[in-house]
């Protein structure tokens, strides 16, 4: 398995994986299939290569099996913080350490390439596996946002978690 930054050439398979994630777990993402399904390959390629984001992918035998994104805050006063978001591992690859390797890559990148002191994320409180993954990686919950996302009539809360990269 290879953990690497996404390239423009990944646009089509990455978008397919992204739409799969949004359809399978609408409670976990701020975006929806309806919002992203019509994105052209050029728009997706630009998203993958945007210098403000670092879109990471896990690849096995030439197939994308997972993704996660890191983005450093742009405001001068918040540039010491980086956000981890849009994590997804295809079901057939879960339980094999793929997500842990993506988180490790983002931690290293946030610290060394993006110059961040803090890595932060939000995760749906009912996603026990993801909360445990992030806790094992050293993230701690610092707050709970009630009614963070709504999908139809369902309401979802999110934990806000942070990792001090200076340690």
């Amino acid at each position: 398995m290879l953990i690497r930054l996404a390239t423009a050439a990944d646009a089509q398979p990455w978008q397919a994986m992204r739409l799969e994630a949004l359809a399978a777990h609408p409670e976990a993402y701020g975006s929806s299939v309806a919002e992203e399904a019509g994105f052209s390959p050029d728009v997706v390629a630009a998203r993958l290569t945007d210098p403000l984001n670092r879109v990471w992918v896990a690849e096995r035998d030439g197939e994308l099996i997972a993704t996660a994104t890191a983005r450093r805050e742009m405001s001068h006063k918040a540039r010491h913080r980086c956000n981890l978001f849009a994590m997804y591992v295809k079901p057939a690859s879960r339980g094999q350490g793929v997500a842990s390797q993506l988180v490790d890559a983002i931690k290293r990148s946030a610290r060394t390439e993006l110059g961040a002191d803090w890595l932060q994320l939000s995760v749906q409180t009912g996603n026990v596996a993801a909360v445990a993954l992030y806790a094992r990686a050293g993230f701690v919950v610092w707050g709970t946002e009630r009614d963070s996302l709504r999908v139809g009539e369902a309401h979802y809360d999110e934990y806000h978690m942070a990792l001090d990269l200076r340690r």
Side-chain angles (χ1 to χ4, degrees), residues 30-43:
S31 192
S32 68
V33 172
E35 291 170 304
E36 295 193 19
F39 289 173
S40 72
D42 289 340
V43 168

PDB file of all heavy atoms in Angstrom, residues 30-43:
ATOM      1  N   GLY A  30     -19.925  17.565   5.809  1.00  0.00           N
ATOM      2  CA  GLY A  30     -20.688  18.789   5.647  1.00  0.00           C
ATOM      3  C   GLY A  30     -21.251  18.970   4.253  1.00  0.00           C
ATOM      4  O   GLY A  30     -22.174  19.738   4.045  1.00  0.00           O
ATOM      5  N   SER A  31     -20.700  18.265   3.278  1.00  0.00           N
ATOM      6  CA  SER A  31     -21.161  18.341   1.895  1.00  0.00           C
ATOM      7  C   SER A  31     -22.083  17.160   1.600  1.00  0.00           C
ATOM      8  O   SER A  31     -22.235  16.253   2.426  1.00  0.00           O
ATOM      9  CB  SER A  31     -19.951  18.328   0.956  1.00  0.00           C
ATOM     10  OG  SER A  31     -20.345  18.682  -0.346  1.00  0.00           O
ATOM     11  N   SER A  32     -22.676  17.154   0.413  1.00  0.00           N
ATOM     12  CA  SER A  32     -23.594  16.077   0.038  1.00  0.00           C
ATOM     13  C   SER A  32     -23.330  15.635  -1.399  1.00  0.00           C
ATOM     14  O   SER A  32     -22.690  16.353  -2.176  1.00  0.00           O
ATOM     15  CB  SER A  32     -25.043  16.550   0.156  1.00  0.00           C
ATOM     16  OG  SER A  32     -25.316  17.520  -0.826  1.00  0.00           O
ATOM     17  N   VAL A  33     -23.874  14.483  -1.747  1.00  0.00           N
ATOM     18  CA  VAL A  33     -23.773  13.986  -3.120  1.00  0.00           C
ATOM     19  C   VAL A  33     -24.377  15.012  -4.075  1.00  0.00           C
ATOM     20  O   VAL A  33     -23.796  15.319  -5.118  1.00  0.00           O
ATOM     21  CB  VAL A  33     -24.467  12.616  -3.274  1.00  0.00           C
ATOM     22  CG1 VAL A  33     -24.543  12.200  -4.727  1.00  0.00           C
ATOM     23  CG2 VAL A  33     -23.743  11.549  -2.461  1.00  0.00           C
ATOM     24  N   ALA A  34     -25.528  15.563  -3.724  1.00  0.00           N
ATOM     25  CA  ALA A  34     -26.186  16.542  -4.597  1.00  0.00           C
ATOM     26  C   ALA A  34     -25.295  17.744  -4.876  1.00  0.00           C
ATOM     27  O   ALA A  34     -25.300  18.285  -5.976  1.00  0.00           O
ATOM     28  CB  ALA A  34     -27.503  16.993  -3.970  1.00  0.00           C
ATOM     29  N   GLU A  35     -24.509  18.162  -3.885  1.00  0.00           N
ATOM     30  CA  GLU A  35     -23.637  19.323  -4.063  1.00  0.00           C
ATOM     31  C   GLU A  35     -22.407  19.009  -4.910  1.00  0.00           C
ATOM     32  O   GLU A  35     -21.883  19.886  -5.589  1.00  0.00           O
ATOM     33  CB  GLU A  35     -23.167  19.849  -2.700  1.00  0.00           C
ATOM     34  CG  GLU A  35     -24.288  20.472  -1.893  1.00  0.00           C
ATOM     35  CD  GLU A  35     -23.874  20.770  -0.470  1.00  0.00           C
ATOM     36  OE1 GLU A  35     -23.431  19.845   0.235  1.00  0.00           O
ATOM     37  OE2 GLU A  35     -23.998  21.945  -0.069  1.00  0.00           O
ATOM     38  N   GLU A  36     -21.922  17.772  -4.866  1.00  0.00           N
ATOM     39  CA  GLU A  36     -20.646  17.460  -5.500  1.00  0.00           C
ATOM     40  C   GLU A  36     -20.719  16.588  -6.743  1.00  0.00           C
ATOM     41  O   GLU A  36     -19.752  16.491  -7.479  1.00  0.00           O
ATOM     42  CB  GLU A  36     -19.702  16.810  -4.483  1.00  0.00           C
ATOM     43  CG  GLU A  36     -19.328  17.756  -3.366  1.00  0.00           C
ATOM     44  CD  GLU A  36     -18.164  17.273  -2.525  1.00  0.00           C
ATOM     45  OE1 GLU A  36     -17.400  16.393  -2.986  1.00  0.00           O
ATOM     46  OE2 GLU A  36     -18.003  17.799  -1.412  1.00  0.00           O
ATOM     47  N   ALA A  37     -21.853  15.962  -7.001  1.00  0.00           N
ATOM     48  CA  ALA A  37     -21.952  15.026  -8.128  1.00  0.00           C
ATOM     49  C   ALA A  37     -21.700  15.680  -9.475  1.00  0.00           C
ATOM     50  O   ALA A  37     -21.174  15.047 -10.388  1.00  0.00           O
ATOM     51  CB  ALA A  37     -23.313  14.337  -8.123  1.00  0.00           C
ATOM     52  N   GLY A  38     -22.034  16.936  -9.611  1.00  0.00           N
ATOM     53  CA  GLY A  38     -21.883  17.611 -10.892  1.00  0.00           C
ATOM     54  C   GLY A  38     -20.537  18.274 -11.116  1.00  0.00           C
ATOM     55  O   GLY A  38     -20.330  18.902 -12.157  1.00  0.00           O
ATOM     56  N   PHE A  39     -19.616  18.123 -10.190  1.00  0.00           N
ATOM     57  CA  PHE A  39     -18.294  18.735 -10.368  1.00  0.00           C
ATOM     58  C   PHE A  39     -17.592  18.111 -11.573  1.00  0.00           C
ATOM     59  O   PHE A  39     -17.517  16.890 -11.684  1.00  0.00           O
ATOM     60  CB  PHE A  39     -17.423  18.555  -9.138  1.00  0.00           C
ATOM     61  CG  PHE A  39     -17.823  19.366  -7.937  1.00  0.00           C
ATOM     62  CD1 PHE A  39     -17.202  19.173  -6.723  1.00  0.00           C
ATOM     63  CD2 PHE A  39     -18.822  20.332  -7.995  1.00  0.00           C
ATOM     64  CE1 PHE A  39     -17.540  19.916  -5.601  1.00  0.00           C
ATOM     65  CE2 PHE A  39     -19.178  21.083  -6.880  1.00  0.00           C
ATOM     66  CZ  PHE A  39     -18.539  20.869  -5.676  1.00  0.00           C
ATOM     67  N   SER A  40     -17.074  18.940 -12.444  1.00  0.00           N
ATOM     68  CA  SER A  40     -16.348  18.443 -13.615  1.00  0.00           C
ATOM     69  C   SER A  40     -14.999  17.885 -13.188  1.00  0.00           C
ATOM     70  O   SER A  40     -14.485  18.229 -12.114  1.00  0.00           O
ATOM     71  CB  SER A  40     -16.130  19.578 -14.610  1.00  0.00           C
ATOM     72  OG  SER A  40     -15.157  20.478 -14.092  1.00  0.00           O
ATOM     73  N   PRO A  41     -14.384  17.046 -14.021  1.00  0.00           N
ATOM     74  CA  PRO A  41     -13.041  16.544 -13.703  1.00  0.00           C
ATOM     75  C   PRO A  41     -12.026  17.667 -13.474  1.00  0.00           C
ATOM     76  O   PRO A  41     -11.150  17.542 -12.621  1.00  0.00           O
ATOM     77  CB  PRO A  41     -12.679  15.706 -14.925  1.00  0.00           C
ATOM     78  CG  PRO A  41     -13.998  15.258 -15.476  1.00  0.00           C
ATOM     79  CD  PRO A  41     -14.936  16.415 -15.223  1.00  0.00           C
ATOM     80  N   ASP A  42     -12.179  18.773 -14.196  1.00  0.00           N
ATOM     81  CA  ASP A  42     -11.262  19.901 -13.997  1.00  0.00           C
ATOM     82  C   ASP A  42     -11.426  20.532 -12.622  1.00  0.00           C
ATOM     83  O   ASP A  42     -10.441  20.913 -11.984  1.00  0.00           O
ATOM     84  CB  ASP A  42     -11.466  20.962 -15.083  1.00  0.00           C
ATOM     85  CG  ASP A  42     -10.977  20.509 -16.449  1.00  0.00           C
ATOM     86  OD1 ASP A  42     -10.157  19.561 -16.509  1.00  0.00           O
ATOM     87  OD2 ASP A  42     -11.412  21.102 -17.449  1.00  0.00           O
ATOM     88  N   VAL A  43     -12.661  20.652 -12.169  1.00  0.00           N
ATOM     89  CA  VAL A  43     -12.914  21.205 -10.834  1.00  0.00           C
ATOM     90  C   VAL A  43     -12.342  20.285  -9.769  1.00  0.00           C
ATOM     91  O   VAL A  43     -11.698  20.738  -8.819  1.00  0.00           O
ATOM     92  CB  VAL A  43     -14.430  21.438 -10.616  1.00  0.00           C
ATOM     93  CG1 VAL A  43     -14.746  21.731  -9.156  1.00  0.00           C
ATOM     94  CG2 VAL A  43     -14.925  22.560 -11.513  1.00  0.00           C
TER      95      VAL A  43
END
